[in-house]
């Protein structure tokens, strides 16, 4: 009997030790997970808006606000943006530049809700960022280039210049890129290509496929090849349903929620406002301003953490999911 009791006591002791060790390991794993989320699960890429002014007025511009705007106005054009229009100053850029470096950002794309080349300082910003080791890209409609800014960008030898050109004829292009001319943008692409010969900069023609231009894809591909610009089609996210292409292969596919983009990329407006998503085109979810606090402090703020929690927990608590996420054309 005494032997049995001893064995029982030993088994209980060993089980208790096993459970204790298991709980310690679990706690350690949770700590590791939390540390990993704090240190590693954070953006390394920024879209930096040097201006939200634009020289065009594309009918599908304000993606993310399409439900609200198309029901009222029949389109989601750029001129329906309500936030103030402005241009990033050198003072704001210096603050942003410092914070991007300290936060650990690796890639900076100079664009957001406007035409970056309208800000005459954009090439200078690109030079500074590239010299400081960032990967740098400029996304542009290609209408505002001249000899001076072409030369400045070529000197910077940034990583990527992407042209958004949604048509291969004046007829289709002017329907989509309202206020622009296809002849002008194609000439500018050709001149930029010539200026970048022998340089490492990748030049791309992004062709957003729509109902009125899908028949021009092969023509556009040929035109891009003739000026040594890489060509690719982009699937349409239906901000204006009537513009959707007939071929379903050219419609953008949804990703399955929860959204991962909020841990990959941050948006910064021309005035230093920080937003969590590229679809926040009109400042619905401003997390803070870099004139008032560092990017590190804004990212770790209660407001930003709460936003991420609401996005992550959309299934359990759909009623608290941010409005911009409910209208998302990328994650579903």
């Amino acid at each position: 009997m005494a032997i049995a009791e001893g064995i029982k006591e030993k088994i209980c002791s060993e089980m208790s030790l096993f459970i204790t060790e298991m709980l310690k390991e679990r706690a350690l794993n949770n700590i590791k997970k939390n540390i990993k989320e704090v240190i590693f699960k954070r953006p390394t890429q920024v879209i930096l808006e040097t201006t939200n002014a634009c020289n065009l007025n594309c009918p599908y511009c304000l993606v993310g606000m399409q439900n609200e705007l198309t029901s009222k106005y029949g389109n989601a054009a750029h001129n329906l943006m309500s936030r103030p229009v402005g241009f990033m100053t050198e003072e704001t850029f210096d603050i942003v530049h410092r914070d991007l470096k300290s936060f650990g950002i690796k890639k900076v794309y100079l664009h957001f809700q406007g035409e970056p080349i309208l800000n005459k300082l954009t090439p200078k910003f690109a030079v500074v960022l590239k010299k400081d080791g960032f990967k740098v890209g400029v996304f542009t409609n290609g209408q505002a280039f001249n000899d001076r800014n072409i030369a400045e960008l070529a000197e910077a030898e940034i990583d990527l210049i992407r042209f958004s050109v949604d048509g291969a004829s004046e007829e289709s292009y002017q329907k989509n890129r309202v206020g622009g001319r296809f002849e002008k943008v194609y000439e500018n692409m050709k001149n930029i290509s010539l200026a970048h010969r022998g340089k490492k900069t990748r030049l791309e023609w992004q062709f957003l496929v729509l109902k009125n231009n899908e028949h021009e894809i092969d023509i556009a591909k040929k035109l891009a090849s003739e000026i040594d610009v890489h060509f690719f089609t982009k699937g349409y996210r239906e901000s204006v349903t009537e513009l959707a292409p007939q071929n379903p292969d050219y419609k953008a596919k949804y990703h399955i929620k929860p959204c991962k983009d909020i841990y990959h990329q941050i948006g910064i407006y021309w005035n230093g406002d920080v937003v969590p998503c590229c679809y926040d085109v009109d400042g619905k979810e401003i997390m803070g301003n870099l004139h008032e606090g560092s990017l590190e402090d804004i990212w770790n703020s209660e407001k930003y953490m709460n936003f991420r929690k609401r996005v992550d927990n959309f299934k359990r608590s759909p009623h608290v999911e941010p409005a911009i996420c409910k209208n998302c054309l990328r994650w579903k």
Side-chain angles (χ1 to χ4, degrees):
M1 195 72 169
I3 295 172
E5 286 296 328
I7 293 171
K8 183 179 177 183
E9 187 177 333
K10 185 178 181 182
I11 290 171
C12 287
S13 175
E14 287 180 354
M15 281 184 68
S16 176
L17 182 63
F18 173 75
I19 290 169
T20 302
E21 290 301 318
M22 187 176 69
L23 290 174
K24 280 182 182 178
E25 186 177 355
R26 187 177 293 174
L28 185 61
N29 286 337
N30 284 334
I31 291 169
K32 286 178 179 177
K33 182 182 176 184
N34 291 335
I35 290 172
K36 188 177 179 181
E37 285 185 355
V38 170
I39 296 176
F40 299 110
K41 199 176 179 183
R42 55 194 268 155
T44 57
Q45 180 173 300
V46 154
I47 45 174
L48 183 60
E49 180 183 82
T50 59
T51 181
N52 62 337
C54 197
N55 47 356
L56 303 183
N57 195 40
C58 310
Y60 41 78
C61 178
L62 301 178
V63 177
M65 297 180 67
Q66 69 284 342
N67 293 350
E68 173 190 344
L69 297 178
T70 52
S71 62
K72 286 184 183 178
Y73 307 105
N75 63 65
H78 184 272
N79 65 350
L80 297 174
M81 184 189 300
S82 65
R83 63 185 172 96
V85 174
F87 297 80
M88 183 169 282
T89 63
E90 289 193 69
E91 177 194 1
T92 299
F93 174 76
D94 288 343
I95 293 169
V96 171
H97 176 206
R98 178 199 66 208
D99 271 18
L100 297 182
K101 193 76 174 177
S102 61
F103 188 82
I105 295 296
K106 306 298 182 187
K107 294 181 183 178
V108 183
Y109 292 119
L110 298 171
H111 79 105
F112 202 152
Q113 211 53 45
E115 170 48 49
I117 303 303
L118 292 182
N119 187 334
K120 294 179 180 179
L121 293 172
T122 294
K124 181 179 180 180
F125 296 161
V127 169
V128 171
L129 291 166
K130 186 61 186 169
K131 283 184 177 177
D132 202 20
F134 292 93
K135 287 189 178 296
V136 182
V138 171
F139 294 6
T140 172
N141 62 41
Q143 291 284 332
F145 283 101
N146 54 44
D147 291 344
R148 178 185 58 79
N149 54 35
I150 288 174
E152 288 174 338
L153 271 183
E155 182 186 350
E157 199 168 348
I158 61 175
D159 299 275
L160 173 66
I161 301 174
R162 179 177 293 170
F163 303 94
S164 298
V165 184
D166 308 328
S169 68
E170 289 297 348
E171 182 183 6
S172 64
Y173 180 81
Q174 290 186 26
K175 284 178 183 176
N176 302 324
R177 295 283 164 175
V178 178
R181 289 190 302 112
F182 178 73
E183 181 184 10
K184 183 176 183 180
V185 70
Y186 188 71
E187 184 67 20
N188 284 343
M189 284 196 291
K190 182 165 67 174
N191 290 336
I192 289 168
S193 181
L194 288 170
H196 283 81
R197 278 194 177 166
K199 296 184 181 293
K200 296 177 182 177
T201 304
R202 180 178 173 86
L203 306 179
E204 294 181 346
W205 175 343
Q206 174 186 282
F207 189 101
L208 181 64
V209 183
L210 302 160
K211 187 177 182 179
N212 60 32
N213 69 12
E214 57 188 317
H215 62 287
E216 295 182 340
I217 293 172
D218 289 339
I219 299 169
K221 197 178 296 184
K222 182 175 181 296
L223 289 171
S225 176
E226 289 174 359
I227 57 172
D228 294 324
V229 173
H230 298 277
F231 177 87
F232 72 98
T233 58
K234 181 180 180 182
Y236 180 57
R237 301 192 183 278
E238 295 185 27
S239 52
V240 180
T241 306
E242 292 75 20
L243 295 175
Q246 292 180 323
N247 187 336
D249 292 341
Y250 292 128
K251 293 183 181 181
K253 306 297 187 291
Y254 280 99
H255 299 284
I256 305 301
K257 288 183 177 181
C259 170
K260 306 291 191 302
D261 291 343
I262 57 170
Y263 293 100
H264 171 64
Q265 178 174 270
I266 289 175
I268 301 175
Y269 291 161
W270 63 268
N271 63 351
D273 281 343
V274 175
V275 291
C277 174
C278 62
Y279 280 4
D280 191 1
V281 295
D282 214 19
K284 304 298 183 185
E285 294 282 356
I286 295 172
M287 296 293 118
N289 186 284
L290 293 175
H291 285 278
E292 299 166 1
S294 70
L295 189 55
E296 187 74 40
D297 289 342
I298 293 170
W299 173 255
N300 291 318
S301 68
E302 186 177 344
K303 184 175 185 179
Y304 212 150
M305 287 193 291
N306 180 256
F307 177 87
R308 296 194 294 272
K309 186 177 179 181
R310 287 158 61 205
V311 172
D312 291 340
N313 296 331
F314 82 99
K315 273 189 178 178
R316 284 199 297 269
S317 307
H319 59 287
V320 299
E321 184 182 25
I324 60 169
C325 302
K326 295 180 191 294
N327 295 329
C328 186
L329 294 176
R330 179 172 165 81
W331 295 86
K332 194 172 185 179

